[in-house]
Amino acid sequence: MSVPEDMDRDGGRHRKMVETHSARFHSRELGIARAPGRVNLIGEHTDYNGLPVFPMAVDRDIAAVFAPRKDRQIILINTDPVFAERSFQIEESIPSYSTGDWGNYCKAAVQGLLDFFRQKRRSVDRFRGFEATFDGNIPSAAGMSSSSALVVLCALIFLAVNDLDLHTTVEGKLELADLLAGAEHYVGTQGGGMDQAISLMGRSGHAVKIDFFPLQIRPAPLPDDYSIVVADSTVKAAKTAEALDKYNRRPIECRLAAAVLKKTLSDRFGREVPVALLGDLNEHRLAVPEGEIWTIADAAFHEHPYHLEEIAAILGQKPEKTAHLYCQRRDGTIFPQPTEGFKLQQRYRHVIDEGRRVEQSVQALETGDIHGFGRLMNRSHESCRDLYEISCQELERLVQISREAGAVGSRLTGAGFGGCTVSLVENNRVESFVEHVIQAFYRHYLKRDDRDFGSLIFPCRAADGASIDRAGIRAEI
Ligand code: GLA
């Protein structure tokens, strides 16, 4: 079969996958697919609050060769032996592997699609499985969304082998992105919809502004004379149970903040206002002038962290009910109350201001105000550090060095607690920028003496979203 050009650009990747596949399976006619990772330029932790983000899909991806099976089994192997073979059956409720297992991302996609088609009253009994061999070059646990790329990729393969064409129109892609955002909660995270949407709908040469509820996308061209450089802090933002709790605490705090605001605004206006998310605070939804909303909302919280009992008292509920409504994990257990309390004011402030920064950034980019865009990136970082508290020492050092090295803007990107930074750098400074960061951060600060730092710091091209070519298996389907 012919191999799409981007599939083989880094030399023999396709061959490696086919060889690994043939050594394990008998399938000869293979489809091929890829789904990119992403780097978020600005708009951190806004998506699950219903506020926009501004990421781009990158030229690093997870690729797979695959073939349909006649039965309902799904078998996954990987060219990287760190990821051991996984195999499971398509069934009504697919039990998960232990937290952090790579197979869970495929299970998440399949379970999400089964639920979706069942809801649409489509018969799922005849769905069949597949065998697939994966190969990835997105740094993992680095905040570049390798996990959502895997979810998207598995969804596309599942659709292809079952001859379903949900992803072939723009509306279909939006629907698929939306359903996969929810589907990924299967792994235990309570994230929003940015990662799946950008992996599916990235556009070469463009960053994409994404709005939520309803999902909408708007690509904005990136300037030719600037580069996006990603640098890995090397602090792993892995999805262990502990990391999940750290991440999930933020959506929980935001839901609690929204509940307090709903109560405060409803009391003030003498009617129930429709606020479920912080992003619902707008004039259009509440039918109240924007200025009035902010006067009330900005004064609604005290700086000191809240205990659950205090929040429950504000809401006029028993603490158990508040915990049940807002603090549940996916498995039904209750998220433990942080000893220092819930930081409602700080999380509220970050989310609302970050949403505004996204709007301003898109405008800055569209009017060619690159330095304005860079300043917004810097402000976003400070807010992520001080109000959302998702930075760490290494990220701080890396951002500081990146700015000294000539970045117009530099910030942590993705979920935080480690992972990567993203920097905006003028093209003719990229080489000296990279050299400076290698010397000051990797060699001097982290005391690393790698021969090649190319997997830790690299410029990224904005790439197209996921693609699938099932030409090789079409005859069989
Ligand atoms: C993770 C989540 C996203 C988003 C980011 C933070 O990547 O999967 O939905 O919340 O963190 O912006």
Side-chain angles (χ1 to χ4, degrees), residues 145-221:
S145 235
S146 55
S147 39
S148 297
L150 186 52
V151 172
V152 166
L153 188 57
C154 290
L156 291 184
I157 295 173
F158 185 79
L159 289 168
V161 299
N162 285 294
D163 214 9
L164 300 158
D165 56 5
L166 186 59
H167 55 291
T168 51
T169 60
V170 176
E171 295 73 32
K173 276 189 185 167
L174 289 168
E175 196 166 18
L176 181 60
D178 229 4
L179 95 84
L180 292 180
E184 199 172 319
H185 290 187
Y186 178 93
V187 306
T189 42
Q190 300 189 7
M194 160 166 68
D195 307 341
Q196 304 77 8
I198 191 67
S199 185
L200 268 168
M201 287 173 290
R203 169 95 64 93
S204 164
H206 292 67
V208 181
K209 181 185 175 223
I210 306 174
D211 285 283
F212 300 93
F213 318 125
L215 189 63
Q216 282 172 317
I217 60 159
R218 180 170 137 211

Side-chain angles (χ1 to χ4, degrees), residues 228-249:
I228 301 297
V229 183
V230 166
D232 192 342
S233 72
T234 74
V235 177
K236 291 288 171 205
K239 299 241 165 58
T240 57
E242 191 201 347
L244 287 187
D245 268 359
K246 264 203 213 165
Y247 178 91
N248 287 340
R249 175 177 163 185

Side-chain angles (χ1 to χ4, degrees), residues 55-121:
M56 65 183 217
V58 295
D59 49 348
R60 299 209 166 205
D61 56 34
I62 303 184
V65 293
F66 63 93
R69 288 178 62 87
K70 294 200 166 65
D71 58 16
R72 287 166 73 79
Q73 199 176 10
I74 292 181
I75 309 178
L76 318 168
I77 63 170
N78 203 301
T79 56
D80 183 344
V82 163
F83 301 103
E85 176 170 328
R86 292 289 176 256
S87 149
F88 61 94
Q89 288 288 328
I90 301 172
E91 54 187 309
E92 189 164 333
S93 177
I94 303 168
S96 63
Y97 297 114
S98 56
T99 308
D101 193 295
W102 77 290
N104 279 340
Y105 296 95
C106 184
K107 288 185 167 183
V110 174
Q111 182 74 63
L113 286 167
L114 289 175
D115 295 346
F116 174 80
F117 286 114
R118 212 178 285 121
Q119 249 173 33
K120 298 249 167 198
R121 303 197 179 285

Side-chain angles (χ1 to χ4, degrees), residues 249-250 253 256 302-311 335-344 346-347 389:
R249 175 177 163 185
R250 302 307 186 274
E253 288 176 313
L256 289 168
H302 54 67
E303 193 183 336
H304 196 69
Y306 288 67
H307 283 287
L308 189 70
E309 292 67 26
E310 183 183 357
I311 299 171
F335 182 86
Q337 183 169 177
T339 35
E340 53 175 353
F342 294 108
K343 297 199 171 176
L344 301 193
Q346 294 79 351
R347 311 309 189 220
E389 297 178 289

Side-chain angles (χ1 to χ4, degrees), residues 38 40 43-45 47-48 191-195 247 414-415:
R38 62 103 183 94
N40 190 20
E44 225 58 88
H45 290 264
D47 57 355
Y48 52 80
M194 160 166 68
D195 307 341
Y247 178 91

